[in-house]
Amino acid sequence: MDWGTELWDQYDIIEKHTQSGLELVEKYVKFVKERTEIEQNYAKQLRNLSKKYNPKRSSKDEPECRLSSYQAFLDVLNEMNDYAGQRELIAENMMMSICIDLTKYLQELKQERKTYLLEAKKAQQSLESTYKQLDGSKKRFEREWREAERAAQYAEKTDQDINATKADVEKAKQQAHMRAHVAEECKNDYAAQLQKFNKEQNQFYFDDMPQIFNKMQILDESRVQKLAKGYILFSETEKQVMPIIGKCLEGITKAGTNVNERNDSMVVIEQNKSGFDRPGDLEFEDYSQGINRASSDSSLGTPKGPMDILGKNRSKNFWLFSKRSKPTVTEDFSHLPPEQRRKRLQQKLDDICKELQKEVDQSEALGKMKDVYEKNPQMGDPATLASQISQTSQNIERLRGELSKYEVWLAEAGGRGETLRYKTHTFNNNGAHDIHSPDGAHSDESTPDPSQAIYAEFDDDFEDEEIASPIGKCTAMYNFPGASEGTIAMQEGEVLAVVEEDKGDGWTRVRRNNGDEGYIPTSYVTISLNK
């Protein structure tokens, strides 16, 4: 069944129905848009919530950050942030696959419907025009036929009138004949117009309008099908991200299962253990035996009482539930309990060693660069490096002094003094190599530092190191003699493997196929790193 056959006379109904269908598509697009706004606002609120409860950078170093329950809460916040991202993805996909697609389709639908309606209107106007012509010819025929009848009656009356002349009778008959001829022509025209109209009317109701109605039916069914797909996409769009949302929720569950109350207790102990011994029993002071009252009054401050156990912290109140005043922070961390003091001193030592290693590496690089400048003046002026070398040397001496100071404090606190190892290749203020310089040359002007014993020794160059994998290749643009210790010679056009990038000092570490390694000036080669 189709509209052209069953609804041939329901043009207004079809027009209204198709318009209602377009409005339904518009209504659904608007509905989905508002849904995406809800998703976006929901995602925004979730992100803001996660951001609100996420600790700031400064607070991430707080002791509680090491607790599994705290880390689990951070994981929950991160998963919630990812969850918000999936809600945003739902909104974005709905907007693209439903709203934008349906809006574009709706415009095409409107244009096509408009075309069909115009075709129907033109066909209707054409039929109406033909009908007007038919009606006009009919009225003319009717009018002329009446005139012909009146003319015939007048001729007959004149012919019977005895007073009428022959000329009058002849004239009346000619007039009647003419009117009859005109009426006959109008009759023929009317018959022709009627035949034309009936043909067009038959074409209109049996061919033109049924075809237009059928096209509009196909268009409407296409709209319904497209809308149905839009309904399905509304669900499928969310289903697509459900696995990822499920993973986010699983991550939150995992965060909860990763909480270990026993480990958290151990962390609290590790972070807050004072290292003090419990106070011993107080001795009985018998005032009846004449004990010095002044001495007894101060007995709680003698080494026999609990205040003796507190050592340097005698000013602190040792009672468990009393309020403690905030101690004055000291450089040697003596304001902390013994256990915490040892940990802080050890941490400080490790930080100093890392900083010292950086300065030592910088000193080595500057020394190598100075050697290159001295042997190849075209590369640069060695004098320009003097201030940097001097500053680096001062930094090294300052850090060594701090290292020595903190190691002494750590020893006082009962620590083992385990510090990070660092290379002792340095340069003096004049840019000359120290006794541990890369070229191994002993300088008579410099004497070993007596405090050097407290530092770790250099680990036999690179012999114990694992062979690093190449990170790229380089091709020499110039010859380089490689005369100083730690460098390697190369010829123009030679291809070498890059094992360490330039760290900003102008040198790149390379290796030959035979295993020889060393540094070469970065500006002497073209480098291609692996991706």
Side-chain angles (χ1 to χ4, degrees):
M1 298 177 68
D2 51 54
W3 290 2
T5 303
E6 307 299 332
L7 302 177
W8 65 270
D9 58 344
Q10 299 297 329
Y11 173 84
D12 291 341
I13 296 298
I14 291 176
E15 182 182 23
K16 184 178 179 181
H17 170 76
T18 52
Q19 178 61 34
S20 177
L22 296 179
E23 291 173 356
L24 178 60
V25 176
E26 290 179 337
K27 187 179 293 185
Y28 180 61
V29 170
K30 185 177 179 181
F31 164 75
V32 177
K33 282 184 178 179
E34 291 188 11
R35 164 67 191 278
T36 60
E37 291 174 1
I38 291 173
E39 289 289 354
Q40 289 169 344
N41 291 333
Y42 178 45
K44 183 179 180 180
Q45 290 175 359
L46 287 178
R47 286 195 184 278
N48 289 339
L49 185 65
S50 298
K51 184 178 180 181
K52 176 181 178 181
Y53 284 93
N54 243 314
K56 297 180 180 178
R57 291 183 179 179
S58 58
S59 62
K60 287 185 178 179
D61 297 329
E62 294 296 328
E64 63 267 16
C65 290
R66 293 181 57 191
L67 301 177
S68 65
S69 56
Y70 191 87
Q71 287 298 324
F73 179 58
L74 295 182
D75 291 341
V76 170
L77 295 177
N78 291 333
E79 293 294 349
M80 188 55 58
N81 196 57
D82 293 342
Y83 178 88
Q86 296 309 309
R87 306 313 304 188
E88 290 173 339
L89 186 60
I90 290 174
E92 181 180 351
N93 289 344
M94 282 187 175
M95 181 62 70
M96 294 296 295
S97 62
I98 299 178
C99 296
I100 294 179
D101 186 55
L102 274 183
T103 300
K104 181 180 178 182
Y105 175 75
L106 185 61
Q107 296 302 319
E108 297 172 354
L109 202 65
K110 286 181 177 180
Q111 185 60 41
E112 194 169 356
R113 175 179 176 272
K114 183 179 179 181
T115 301
Y116 294 150
L117 292 178
L118 285 175
E119 289 179 5
K121 191 172 183 179
K122 287 180 180 179
Q124 179 73 23
Q125 289 174 347
S126 177
L127 184 62
E128 289 176 355
S129 176
T130 303
Y131 179 76
K132 286 181 180 179
Q133 292 177 5
L134 172 63
D135 188 57
S137 65
K138 179 182 176 181
K139 288 179 178 179
R140 282 196 305 272
F141 168 59
E142 181 183 8
R143 185 174 61 252
E144 293 299 330
W145 181 252
R146 289 176 182 173
E147 289 293 333
E149 282 186 339
R150 281 197 295 269
Q153 290 174 0
Y154 179 75
E156 184 179 354
K157 182 179 179 182
T158 304
D159 186 46
Q160 293 175 0
D161 187 1
I162 58 175
N163 297 321
T165 64
K166 187 177 180 180
D168 292 337
V169 173
E170 189 63 26
K171 182 179 179 182
K173 287 182 178 180
Q174 287 180 356
Q175 186 71 22
H177 179 73
M178 184 187 68
R179 286 292 179 183
H181 179 72
V182 172
E184 187 65 26
E185 287 181 350
C186 289
K187 179 182 178 181
N188 293 336
D189 182 60
Y190 169 60
Q193 290 294 335
L194 181 61
Q195 186 178 6
K196 179 182 177 182
F197 174 77
N198 288 335
K199 183 179 178 181
E200 286 196 16
Q201 182 174 249
N202 186 73
Q203 176 76 19
F204 179 82
Y205 285 111
F206 288 91
D207 292 323
D208 295 344
M209 292 308 295
Q211 288 180 12
I212 293 173
F213 286 171
N214 288 341
K215 288 179 182 179
M216 294 187 72
Q217 179 182 0
I218 293 172
L219 188 67
D220 192 67
E221 290 177 356
S222 173
R223 172 194 61 81
V224 173
Q225 186 180 28
K226 187 76 172 179
L227 196 55
K229 289 181 179 178
Y231 295 156
I232 295 173
L233 281 173
F234 187 82
S235 171
E236 293 298 325
T237 301
E238 189 160 355
K239 283 183 180 179
Q240 289 173 359
V241 301
M242 280 302 178
I244 303 178
I245 288 178
K247 289 183 179 179
C248 293
L249 298 177
E250 287 175 5
I252 294 176
T253 302
K254 185 178 179 181
T257 57
N258 286 341
V259 174
N260 189 314
E261 64 278 5
R262 186 62 182 170
N263 284 351
D264 282 7
S265 295
M266 295 300 102
V267 169
V268 173
I269 292 173
E270 180 186 348
Q271 290 179 340
N272 300 285
K273 182 180 178 181
S274 67
F276 293 131
D277 293 329
R278 290 181 177 83
D281 295 339
L282 296 178
E283 295 180 0
F284 177 75
E285 299 182 36
D286 191 352
Y287 289 94
S288 64
Q289 299 300 322
I291 296 177
N292 189 321
R293 180 62 179 267
S295 174
S296 64
D297 287 342
S298 62
S299 60
L300 286 177
T302 65
K304 296 180 181 180
M307 300 308 287
D308 177 57
I309 297 170
L310 297 179
K312 295 182 179 181
N313 296 279
R314 291 180 180 178
S315 61
K316 289 187 175 183
N317 191 329
F318 71 93
W319 301 111
L320 295 179
F321 302 106
S322 60
K323 293 184 178 180
R324 299 185 179 185
S325 59
K326 188 174 182 180
T328 302
V329 178
T330 57
E331 185 182 6
D332 62 353
F333 303 114
S334 58
H335 62 286
L336 296 175
E339 186 72 17
Q340 300 304 315
R341 184 190 182 201
R342 281 193 294 271
K343 290 180 181 178
R344 292 296 295 275
L345 287 171
Q346 185 66 57
Q347 181 183 356
K348 185 69 175 179
L349 276 172
D350 292 343
D351 293 342
I352 293 173
C353 282
K354 289 178 182 178
E355 189 176 352
L356 182 57
Q357 185 62 62
K358 283 185 181 179
E359 294 295 335
V360 169
D361 291 342
Q362 177 72 8
S363 180
E364 290 180 14
L366 289 171
K368 291 176 184 177
M369 189 176 293
K370 182 179 180 182
D371 285 344
V372 172
Y373 286 178
E374 290 174 347
K375 295 173 182 178
N376 302 277
Q378 69 275 14
M379 295 291 295
D381 184 5
T384 59
L385 303 175
S387 61
Q388 296 182 51
I389 292 175
S390 174
Q391 182 62 47
T392 304
S393 298
Q394 292 176 15
N395 292 342
I396 290 175
E397 292 305 317
R398 174 181 58 79
L399 290 171
R400 283 178 174 174
E402 289 188 11
L403 189 65
S404 176
K405 178 173 61 176
Y406 277 94
E407 283 187 336
V408 171
W409 285 338
L410 182 60
E412 290 178 357
R416 294 189 296 271
E418 295 179 354
T419 58
L420 296 174
R421 301 174 67 82
Y422 67 95
K423 293 182 283 187
T424 57
H425 293 190
T426 58
F427 297 82
N428 59 32
N429 292 343
N430 297 323
H433 296 80
D434 258 349
I435 57 172
H436 297 292
S437 61
D439 61 2
H442 187 283
S443 174
D444 294 333
E445 297 178 0
S446 61
T447 58
D449 187 349
S451 65
Q452 196 66 28
I454 66 174
Y455 304 114
E457 296 296 334
F458 180 58
D459 291 334
D460 296 327
D461 294 328
F462 305 108
E463 292 180 3
D464 295 335
E465 294 182 1
E466 294 183 2
I467 298 177
S469 299
I471 60 174
K473 293 182 179 181
C474 66
T475 304
M477 296 188 294
Y478 314 102
N479 294 335
F480 179 65
S484 60
E485 179 69 19
T487 62
I488 186 173
M490 65 178 179
Q491 301 297 321
E492 181 180 353
E494 185 176 0
V495 179
L496 302 169
V498 177
V499 294
E500 184 181 311
E501 284 188 82
D502 187 342
K503 296 182 179 180
D505 54 12
W507 293 90
T508 299
R509 187 176 172 187
V510 298
R511 180 191 302 142
R512 284 201 180 91
N513 292 335
N514 61 6
D516 292 343
E517 284 190 18
Y519 288 91
I520 50 95
T522 305
S523 59
Y524 274 41
V525 293
T526 56
I527 299 175
S528 175
L529 298 179
N530 299 332
K531 294 183 179 179

